[in-house]
Amino acid sequence: MIILSNPVIARKVDVMMTYTYQKGILEFKMGVASAAGFLVVLATLILVFATRKLIRYDEE
């Protein structure tokens, strides 16, 4: 994704994990990167629990 983006379209095709990489590794803004990473984990947990509830994973 980083290879395919150029400065003209970078803001249009940016996703959360490339944003986290850019802020954390390239710009060394660890607070912003850790907050973005936390949001990714939180969204993943919400989707997992919603999917488990939707497919009734816990019921026999």
Side-chain angles (χ1 to χ4, degrees), residues 11 14-25 32-33 36:
R11 289 286 151 213
D14 198 15
V15 294
M16 195 63 145
M17 292 312 296
T18 57
Y19 177 80
T20 305
Y21 170 77
Q22 180 182 9
K23 293 297 179 188
I25 303 298
V32 175

Side-chain angles (χ1 to χ4, degrees), residues 6-49:
N6 61 34
V8 176
I9 62 167
R11 289 286 151 213
K12 303 288 187 208
V13 298
D14 198 15
V15 294
M16 195 63 145
M17 292 312 296
T18 57
Y19 177 80
T20 305
Y21 170 77
Q22 180 182 9
K23 293 297 179 188
I25 303 298
L26 300 179
E27 298 177 17
F28 205 68
K29 295 182 179 178
M30 293 300 164
V32 175
S34 64
F38 177 76
L39 290 176
V40 169
V41 169
L42 186 65
T44 303
L45 283 174
I46 290 170
L47 288 173
V48 165
F49 286 125

